[in-house]
Amino acid sequence: MWKLKFGEGASNPLLRSSNGFLGRETWEFDPNGGSPEEHAVVERLRRDFTRNRFTQKDKHEVSNLKDSSEVTEEVLLTSLRRVLDQYSSLQAPDGYWPGGYSGILFILPLMNEDGGWSTHTLGPSSMFGSCVNYATLRLLGEVLDEHNDGLSKGRAWILSHGSATVAPQWAKIYLSVIGVYDWSGNNPIIPELWLLPHFLPIHPGRFWCFCRMVYMPMSYIYAKRFIGPITPTILALREELYDVPYNKINWNNARISCCKDDIIYPPSWFQNIAMASLHKFMEPLFNMWPMNKLRKRALTNLMDHIHYEDENSNYVGLCPINKVLNMICCWIENPNSNAFRRHLPRIHDFLWLAEDGMKSKVYVGSQCWDTALIVQAYCSTGLTQEFSETIKKAHDFIKNAQVTKNCPNYKRYYRERSKGGVVVIKDSTNPSRRSNSRTKVNKDGTLSSAESKRTTPWVEFINPSESFRNIIVDYPYVECTSSLIQALILFKGVHPGYRREEIDRIIKNGLVAAGRTFQNSLSIRKACNFLLSKQLSTGGWGEDYLGCQVEEYIDSGRPHVVHTAWGMLGLIYAGQVELDPAPLYRAAKELINMQLETGEFPQQEILGSFNSSLFFNYTNYRNLFPIWALGEFHRRLLAKRA
C-alpha cells in the first residue's frame, strides 16, 4: 500500500532544504500496509480508470437543484459548506493542498486508443510521445511479443508514421542518449553559444528560463555525444523502432525530418540553412585543434552553470526535464561524484501516484500558487470564522515559504533577485522582507511568467524545437500582470508611501482592481459581452483545450466547473450582479448541479498550459475556483440586498 509522506528528508544526508522541507511530498510503498477492504477500493479505482480512460464521464455527479428551483442565499451557503468541509479535510499538515500536477506524457507514459502515445494526456498520438514511451516500457522490462498488446500497437503506430527517424528534436536527443538513435542525426546544439557576449539578443542567458535551463544540459550532452550502455534491449530497440536496418539509416536525412503529427513550430528556411551549415562545417571544426580548446572551455562553463543550478535548487532543478538532464551531465562528468548522488533521492519529489498509476509531476508542485488562491477563495465566502483553523494553517505555510535570501552571485548565472518572493500582505510590515522584495516587472509595467522579458520576439526564429513554440522569450501574461497589480494595490493600502511613483505607474494599467468598471471602461464592456456570448444554454462555460493551441476560442459544447467559475468571477468583478444577475444565477445553478456527493467538484478536462502546446493539470482548480465564484456571488448578493 502506498502512503503519502509530508515534509520528510531531514534524516537523509544527501538531501538539503532551506525551509525544513516545507511542502515536500513523496510516496512510500509499504508492502504490509492497508486492509483487504482498502486494497479492494484501490483495485476498483484502477479498473474504473482503465475502463473509462478514453471517455470523459462525471459519473458521480448528483442533481442538487431541479430546473424550477431557485438559487437562494441558503442554497449557496449549503453548497459552500459542503465543499469547504470536505476540502479542509484534504489540507496537508504543512498547510497546503497536495495534488498530482501532471499531464505531460514524455515524462511518464499513458496509452492512446490508436496504439500510440501523445505528448500530453489530452492529445492525439505523436512520434515524440510514442517513441520515448515505447522505449521506456522496453527499458522497464516489458517484452514485445504476441501477448503484449500495448507494445505491439505502439510499435505499429511508430512504423506506420515514418519510424523513429522522423522523431522531433527532443525525442531524437533522448533516443541518442540511450543508444537507439545516432548522434549524427541531430541538429547541432552548440555549447559555444554560451560564450558569446551577453548583450547579444541571442545569448542563452536572455532566453526564457525553462528554455535555457533545458538546452544548457542538452548542449553539454550533445557535445559529449554521450551514449549509455549498449545492452541486448538497446540492440532490440534499434530493430523495433525502424523499418530499415539500423546500419543502413540515412542519418543526414533523418536530421532534417519530423513527423507531421509533431510539427507545431515548423523550422524556417533560414533555420534549415543555418543548421546545415553548423552540422557540416562548424561542428567538425569545434572538434579539431585548436578550436577544440574553445569547445573544452565552453563545456567547463556549462558544467559550472549546471552545478550552480543544482546547488541552488537543492538538486530539484527548475523542472523534471532539466533535473534529469543535469543528472546525466553529472554522471558524464563523474559517475561517482557527490553531485550525482545528491540527484538520485530528489527523483521521488516528482513522482505522484493516482488511480492511473505512477506519473511525474510537471514541477515538484504548485504549492504556494495554489495555497494563495485557495486562501482568497475561502475569504470570499464570508465563512472565515467557521474555517479559521484551515485558513491559519494556509497562511502560515505561505509565510514560512517566503524566500529570505538571494542566490549567491546570481547575476553571473543570469538569475534575478529572489529575496522577498511570496509576499503575505498582512505580514508585509516586516521591513526586512518588504524593503528587499522586488518584482520582475517589464519596462511596460507587465509581468512575465518567471523573470523579466530579456530579449525580443524576433529571436524566436532560432527556436530549434518543432514541438513547442514561443519558448525563447519570457512573454508578459495577463494572469501574471493582473495578479501583480492586485497585490500592489493591497500593498499600497498598507504602505502608501513606499515606492509610490513606481507602484502607481504599474497600477494605472489595471482594470477592475484599478477602479475601472463596466460603465467607464470599453475594455471591460467588451470582455463582459464576450463572456455572455459564450455562456452555454445550461448556464455554464466550457472551452476546448485546442483553443489555446490555435489562439482562438473553441467551444467544447459542455460545461466545465473551472471555466464556469472563471466566467462567473469575471462578470461578478465587472459589476454583473448590480447590472443583471440572471446570467450569474444560471451559472451558479450549473455549478451546484455539478457538485459531487462528497461536496467536491468533478475533475474534468485539464486546463494548465504553456507554450500553446503542452497541457497539464492544476488539481486544486476544480475546487478552489467554484468555491471562489459561489462565495463571491453570495457576498455580492448580500451586499446588494443591504
Side-chain angles (χ1 to χ4, degrees):
M1 200 75 173
W2 289 90
K3 295 181 180 179
L4 185 58
K5 301 284 188 175
F6 298 102
E8 294 197 353
S11 60
N12 189 332
L14 293 174
L15 293 173
R16 290 193 308 237
S17 172
S18 59
N19 63 5
F21 299 97
L22 181 71
R24 186 173 191 244
E25 49 191 25
T26 53
W27 287 91
E28 180 182 278
F29 184 70
D30 180 1
N32 300 315
S35 65
E37 293 77 16
E38 289 173 325
H39 282 272
V41 171
V42 170
E43 289 303 319
R44 178 179 59 79
L45 290 172
R46 287 175 179 167
R47 288 195 303 270
D48 286 349
F49 176 83
T50 302
R51 184 171 59 252
N52 300 315
R53 71 188 188 277
F54 297 125
T55 60
Q56 185 170 301
K57 297 179 180 179
D58 305 323
K59 60 179 181 178
H60 298 297
E61 290 181 17
V62 293
S63 181
N64 296 301
L65 292 174
K66 297 180 180 179
D67 290 341
S68 59
S69 302
E70 292 186 4
V71 178
T72 63
E73 293 172 13
E74 182 181 356
V75 168
L76 286 169
L77 279 177
T78 300
S79 175
L80 285 167
R81 286 195 172 101
R82 285 179 62 208
V83 63
L84 290 173
D85 281 334
Q86 171 67 7
Y87 202 42
S88 296
S89 72
L90 301 176
Q91 188 178 27
D94 287 354
Y96 73 100
W97 279 259
Y101 200 46
S102 59
I104 297 179
L105 290 185
F106 55 79
I107 305 175
L108 281 180
L110 180 74
M111 200 69 174
N112 264 347
E113 198 168 14
D114 61 3
W117 288 264
S118 175
T119 306
H120 52 86
T121 56
L122 294 178
S125 294
S126 67
M127 191 60 72
F128 189 175
S130 296
C131 283
V132 297
N133 283 282
Y134 182 92
T136 297
L137 286 172
R138 293 288 281 113
L139 292 172
L140 288 172
E142 291 289 320
V143 178
L144 178 64
D145 56 29
E146 66 275 12
H147 304 295
N148 197 320
D149 190 53
L151 281 181
S152 297
K153 288 183 177 179
R155 181 173 184 251
W157 191 96
I158 292 170
L159 296 181
S160 67
H161 287 74
S163 83
T165 55
V166 296
Q169 185 203 38
W170 283 27
K172 288 174 178 174
I173 291 170
Y174 296 156
L175 295 176
S176 297
V177 167
I178 65 172
V180 297
Y181 189 97
D182 197 275
W183 276 110
S184 64
N186 285 271
N187 278 320
I189 313 174
I190 56 172
E192 289 76 16
L193 197 63
W194 289 83
L195 299 179
L196 293 174
H198 183 253
F199 67 81
L200 293 176
I202 61 171
H203 189 283
R206 295 187 173 276
F207 295 173
W208 181 45
C209 59
F210 290 93
C211 177
R212 71 172 184 268
M213 289 299 185
V214 167
Y215 277 97
M216 181 190 297
M218 275 187 179
S219 61
Y220 183 89
I221 296 169
Y222 170 81
K224 287 288 188 177
R225 304 296 198 275
F226 173 75
I227 301 174
I230 304 301
T231 65
T233 300
I234 296 300
L235 294 175
L237 277 168
R238 288 182 175 183
E239 295 181 7
E240 295 165 17
L241 290 174
Y242 304 96
D243 49 12
V244 298
Y246 189 77
N247 61 356
K248 294 190 179 298
I249 294 174
N250 186 325
W251 294 110
N252 191 52
N253 286 345
R255 181 181 60 80
I256 57 175
S257 300
C258 183
C259 179
K260 63 180 179 61
D261 299 87
D262 291 72
I263 297 177
I264 292 177
Y265 187 84
S268 65
W269 64 268
F270 179 84
Q271 191 176 34
N272 287 333
I273 292 174
M275 287 297 179
S277 300
L278 288 172
H279 176 76
K280 189 171 183 178
F281 302 111
M282 295 303 296
E283 187 59 25
L285 190 62
F286 280 124
N287 287 285
M288 297 170 57
W289 188 89
M291 294 296 288
N292 59 358
K293 301 290 186 183
L294 188 63
R295 170 62 52 95
K296 184 178 179 180
R297 179 186 164 199
L299 293 179
T300 301
N301 175 60
L302 282 181
M303 281 309 301
D304 182 36
H305 281 265
I306 288 169
H307 287 313
Y308 181 87
E309 160 72 0
D310 289 344
E311 285 288 323
N312 283 283
S313 68
N314 292 321
Y315 292 84
V316 171
L318 190 62
C319 65
I321 309 302
N322 87 306
K323 186 266 189 301
V324 171
L325 292 173
N326 282 10
M327 184 167 64
I328 294 172
C329 292
C330 291
W331 169 269
I332 296 171
E333 185 185 47
N334 181 1
N336 299 312
S337 67
N338 192 51
F340 176 74
R341 291 192 299 116
R342 286 188 179 277
H343 264 293
L344 294 174
R346 283 299 189 177
I347 293 174
H348 300 282
D349 291 58
F350 290 96
L351 300 179
W352 185 263
L353 192 69
E355 66 272 21
D356 54 345
M358 183 73 79
K359 64 190 77 174
S360 175
K361 293 182 284 187
V362 181
Y363 311 115
V364 290
S366 56
Q367 292 90 328
C368 290
W369 175 254
D370 286 2
T371 305
L373 294 174
I374 291 168
V375 168
Q376 294 179 74
Y378 269 70
C379 291
S380 75
T381 66
L383 301 174
T384 53
Q385 291 300 317
E386 294 182 37
F387 299 93
S388 59
E389 185 60 30
T390 299
I391 296 172
K392 181 182 183 301
K393 285 172 62 179
H395 174 273
D396 289 344
F397 172 80
I398 298 172
K399 181 179 177 180
N400 294 328
Q402 187 169 23
V403 179
T404 58
K405 62 181 181 180
N406 295 315
C407 293
N409 203 13
Y410 60 91
K411 290 184 179 180
R412 180 174 181 270
Y413 295 93
Y414 316 117
R415 303 288 284 269
E416 296 189 14
R417 292 180 62 178
S418 51
K419 183 177 180 179
V422 188
V423 175
V424 180
I425 296 297
K426 291 182 179 179
D427 188 51
S428 61
T429 51
N430 184 335
S432 66
R433 295 184 177 184
R434 172 169 57 87
S435 61
N436 287 304
S437 64
R438 172 178 289 185
T439 54
K440 298 139 178 94
V441 183
N442 297 317
K443 293 180 180 179
D444 58 1
T446 60
L447 202 68
S448 301
S449 66
E451 301 165 326
S452 59
K453 182 180 174 184
R454 298 178 174 184
T455 190
T456 58
W458 66 261
V459 179
E460 289 287 354
F461 84 91
I462 65 173
N463 175 4
S465 172
E466 311 93 334
S467 302
F468 318 116
R469 56 192 176 100
N470 301 331
I471 70 170
I472 303 295
V473 181
D474 196 351
Y475 294 96
Y477 291 94
V478 172
E479 185 179 29
C480 300
T481 305
S482 174
S483 299
L484 167 67
I485 290 172
Q486 293 176 63
L488 289 177
I489 289 172
L490 288 172
F491 181 86
K492 183 181 176 183
V494 180
H495 302 283
Y498 181 77
R499 297 171 70 170
R500 180 170 182 174
E501 184 177 340
E502 182 182 357
I503 290 175
D504 285 345
R505 186 167 60 251
I506 297 171
I507 289 175
K508 74 176 183 179
N509 294 319
L511 291 175
V512 171
R516 292 177 173 84
T517 65
F518 186 92
Q519 286 78 11
N520 65 21
S521 172
L522 176 62
S523 295
I524 291 180
R525 286 197 296 274
K526 289 170 65 177
C528 288
N529 290 335
F530 172 82
L531 286 174
L532 292 171
S533 73
K534 303 302 180 186
Q535 189 173 22
L536 300 172
S537 59
T538 58
W541 282 266
E543 182 181 5
D544 193 282
Y545 80 95
L546 288 172
C548 185
Q549 189 165 304
V550 300
E551 298 183 339
E552 62 181 53
Y553 190 89
I554 299 178
D555 196 329
S556 68
R558 66 189 301 268
H560 191 293
V561 287
V562 179
H563 293 157
T564 301
W566 284 346
M568 280 186 69
L569 286 168
L571 292 173
I572 289 170
Y573 286 123
Q576 190 69 39
V577 173
E578 294 73 23
L579 289 169
D580 176 15
L584 296 171
Y585 276 109
R586 292 169 52 221
K589 191 172 189 175
E590 183 75 90
L591 280 182
I592 293 170
N593 279 333
M594 286 196 283
Q595 197 167 11
L596 307 178
E597 294 175 354
T598 61
E600 294 184 86
F601 292 87
Q603 175 63 61
Q604 297 170 291
E605 184 177 275
I606 62 178
L607 33 68
S609 169
F610 49 67
N611 307 120
S612 304
S613 47
L614 288 175
F615 303 89
F616 54 93
N617 190 29
Y618 284 101
T619 53
N620 285 303
Y621 278 21
R622 67 183 174 95
N623 285 313
L624 83 88
F625 281 111
I627 292 171
W628 198 338
L630 294 175
E632 193 65 40
F633 185 43
H634 177 257
R635 191 175 68 82
R636 296 295 179 105
L637 288 177
L638 290 179
K640 184 179 180 182
R641 187 181 66 180

